Amino acid sequence: GENIQFVVTDFAHDVPVTYKGILPDLFKEGKGVVAQGKLSDGQLFAAAEVLAKLAIQEDSDSVKAKI
């Protein structure tokens, strides 16, 4: 997989993340993410796994569009 760097924020704090692998298709700017890994002393988060979060409203809109 690729070496990827991105930033996760709660709009008060930014955490730089590194990840080696393939990001999920739903991963994109402005969307929620769940990352598992380790935070280093330098505040760099090394993710072992990255999952994209799908908002409930988005999911229901997608289902409605298919009906």
Side-chain angles (χ1 to χ4, degrees):
E2 294 181 47
N3 287 320
I4 300 160
Q5 296 181 351
F6 57 95
V7 175
V8 173
T9 185
D10 64 1
F11 302 107
H13 304 92
D14 294 343
V15 178
V17 179
T18 61
Y19 175 66
K20 182 174 181 167
I22 299 171
L23 291 171
D25 291 339
L26 295 174
F27 181 90
K28 61 182 172 179
E29 187 173 348
K31 299 297 180 182
V33 66
V34 176
Q36 295 182 9
K38 294 186 178 189
L39 186 62
S40 71
D41 292 337
Q43 300 302 304
L44 176 67
F45 188 83
E49 182 177 22
V50 175
L51 305 171
K53 289 178 67 177
L54 179 63
I56 298 297
Q57 182 62 40
E58 291 176 31
D59 191 43
S60 64
D61 287 347
S62 174
V63 171
K64 288 177 191 173
K66 292 180 182 176
I67 295 177

